[in-house]
Amino acid sequence: MFDIAVVGGGLVGLPLALGFAQAGFKVAVIDAQAPEEVARAEFDGRVSALSPASLAMFGQLGVLPHLENRLQPVTDIMVTDGKVGGRAAPFFLHFDAADNEAGPLMHMAENRHIRIAAQKAAERAPDTLHQIAPDGAESFARDAGGVEVRLASGRVIRARLAVAADGRASRLRAFAGLKTVGWSYDQMGIVTTVEHELPHDGTAQEYFLPSGPFAILPMQGNRSSLVWSEKTALAKTIMAMDEEGFARECAKRFGDYLGAHRPVGPRWSYPLGLQLAHDYVSERIALVGDAAHVLHPLAGQGLNWGLKDAAALVEVTAETARVGLDIGSLAALERYQRWRRFDAVSLALVTDGLNRLFSNDVGPLRLLRDVGLGLVGKLGPARRFLMREAAGGSGDVPKLLKGEPV
């Protein structure tokens, strides 16, 4: 019998399990993929923007020492409007690390390096952490005392609390009857890595193009990750192009400010949409990360918000156990829901509104948003407020995000 079963051992699930183990719980983390499989470059070529709060959490969990030499500091963020093949708008929003007392605005890391670092931390975690992989969760059963997870291997795991960290199509969420609301943006995200002649100097660029945002995110060396939102029909055409055609499409949007450049390595695509769970908890079951909320990537906060879920759930569960209450009871889990749901819904609505405002070529709207970007860029307090929000240090911050033990 485990205290907690975490279904999904990915970028949020494994750190969550590390947090539970560090708090003294006997935890099983179940993942259908073998650890060596998810660490391959071909498995996930995306990068993630890690806030200072997320790095503090990784430090407390023992992940950061295995990741430090893989981090690219971001010292400037430039946000502007534009058109494919045209000049950027004269108004822009500039976030500068000089305005940020904590240092770099964020750090970029390849997802595979985050997975490897978390895996190394798990190997050194307390022996109350049990990794079960590769072995997928096939079915679930629930009674007054706990949740049973039947695995593909036939093994049955029983725990007092089960946590869904198994992504946007969560099977555990479906079993719990937790409904979602959402919609498609008729956009696809295209991700690839570009090598370029000139150094990026730690600057991240985000251009709002009529078809969707186009982000250039600095990586280590003279490399950047492109996170490119495009209308679905055109995205499928671009993804089907040969290397030369794909490079031409990248060049139309990338420009020449970093000199000669070319895409390297694989390319990936995935549909973009918004999805929010009505409820994050039911009796003995809680949702975290993409199982609870899927946001548009334009704000770069998806992983940070998932880690904030994880930190809050660990803290609530630990405090519940300390006073001798049932960690899987709905009364205990509803505190976690109150803590996290409002934040996630608020960010989802902001990103949804920004995507709709900027993903068009309507003249009056273009003028309004360009002037708005310029005004926010000139107002120091407004700009610094946005930086604090992105850093993860505002509101009721869980202890792990402060780098403190639970």
Side-chain angles (χ1 to χ4, degrees):
M1 177 75 169
F2 290 91
D3 295 315
I4 301 155
V6 177
V7 180
L11 295 172
V12 173
L14 189 51
L16 172 65
L18 286 167
F20 280 135
Q22 194 175 88
F25 293 105
K26 183 180 180 182
V27 55
V29 56
I30 302 158
D31 198 86
Q33 302 285 342
E36 60 271 18
E37 173 68 18
V38 300
R40 293 191 307 114
E42 295 80 8
F43 181 81
D44 184 354
R46 294 173 296 174
V47 300
S48 289
L50 294 170
S51 69
S54 293
L55 286 184
M57 178 175 173
F58 279 172
Q60 176 59 36
L61 296 178
V63 176
L64 189 56
H66 308 294
L67 186 62
E68 280 183 316
N69 64 349
R70 298 293 190 177
L71 296 173
Q72 168 60 52
V74 177
T75 54
D76 292 87
I77 302 174
M78 302 291 294
V79 182
T80 190
D81 204 0
K83 293 185 178 182
V84 175
R87 290 183 175 274
F91 303 103
F92 58 88
L93 179 56
H94 178 209
F95 297 103
D96 187 342
D99 291 334
N100 187 32
E101 296 177 359
L105 301 168
M106 62 183 72
H107 286 78
M108 304 305 305
E110 295 180 49
N111 284 3
R112 67 188 183 99
H113 291 150
I114 299 173
R115 295 176 193 274
I116 292 169
Q119 183 61 40
K120 288 180 177 177
E123 292 168 1
R124 294 161 176 79
D127 58 11
T128 54
L129 174 63
H130 299 261
Q131 285 188 270
I132 304 171
D135 203 349
E138 291 289 309
S139 63
F140 310 93
R142 175 171 50 178
D143 56 34
V147 177
E148 284 190 353
V149 184
R150 184 170 294 277
L151 307 181
S153 64
R155 183 178 177 183
V156 176
I157 299 297
R158 183 170 176 82
R160 291 189 289 156
L161 169 65
V163 184
D166 50 344
R168 66 176 68 195
S170 171
R171 298 179 73 170
L172 180 53
R173 183 188 65 219
F175 163 76
L178 296 171
K179 304 298 184 183
T180 63
V181 62
W183 45 82
S184 168
Y185 291 123
D186 189 27
Q187 292 174 320
M188 293 185 73
I190 299 173
V191 177
T192 194
T193 298
V194 170
E195 286 184 348
H196 39 78
E197 180 182 9
L198 302 176
H200 48 57
D201 295 326
T203 299
Q205 305 269 358
E206 183 150 34
Y207 298 107
F208 282 102
L209 302 176
S211 58
F214 181 85
I216 302 172
L217 306 174
M219 299 171 67
Q220 289 186 315
N222 282 13
R223 298 184 305 148
S224 293
S225 175
L226 302 188
V227 182
W228 168 6
S229 301
E230 187 58 79
K231 295 297 183 184
T232 300
L234 181 56
K236 290 180 178 178
T237 300
I238 291 171
M239 286 297 294
M241 290 178 174
D242 60 18
E243 290 186 11
E244 184 178 340
F246 184 74
R248 282 197 303 269
E249 291 297 321
C250 288
K252 289 179 185 177
R253 296 155 177 83
F254 195 94
D256 59 2
Y257 78 104
L258 291 178
H261 55 82
R262 64 186 181 93
V264 293
R267 60 186 96 150
W268 292 264
S269 66
Y270 52 96
L272 299 180
L274 180 143
Q275 180 176 284
L276 296 170
H278 285 287
D279 295 292
Y280 284 14
V281 300
S282 67
E283 194 75 26
R284 304 209 169 274
I285 293 173
L287 312 180
V288 297
D290 284 358
H293 43 73
V294 177
L295 314 176
H296 196 285
L298 66 87
Q301 290 298 308
L303 178 55
N304 294 317
W305 241 237
L307 292 173
K308 197 168 186 178
D309 293 342
L313 184 57
V314 170
E315 190 166 329
V316 167
T317 307
E319 290 177 355
T320 300
R322 286 191 194 110
V323 296
L325 298 178
D326 183 355
I327 63 172
S329 70
L330 189 57
L333 294 173
E334 281 178 340
R335 184 184 160 211
Y336 159 68
Q337 176 168 270
R338 288 192 299 270
W339 195 348
R340 290 300 304 134
R341 187 172 58 176
F342 178 78
D343 269 3
V345 170
S346 299
L347 181 63
L349 293 178
V350 168
T351 56
D352 180 72
L354 287 173
N355 186 52
R356 293 177 187 277
L357 175 63
F358 283 91
S359 296
N360 63 74
D361 200 22
V362 179
L365 275 180
R366 177 178 286 278
L367 177 62
L368 176 65
R369 68 201 186 204
D370 289 352
V371 172
L373 280 176
L375 285 175
V376 174
K378 295 293 185 183
L379 295 173
R383 192 175 64 250
R384 286 189 287 272
F385 170 77
L386 292 173
M387 287 195 299
R388 286 195 301 272
E389 286 290 310
S394 62
D396 188 2
V397 180
K399 290 180 180 178
L400 283 175
L401 290 179
K402 300 176 185 177
E404 301 172 1
V406 174

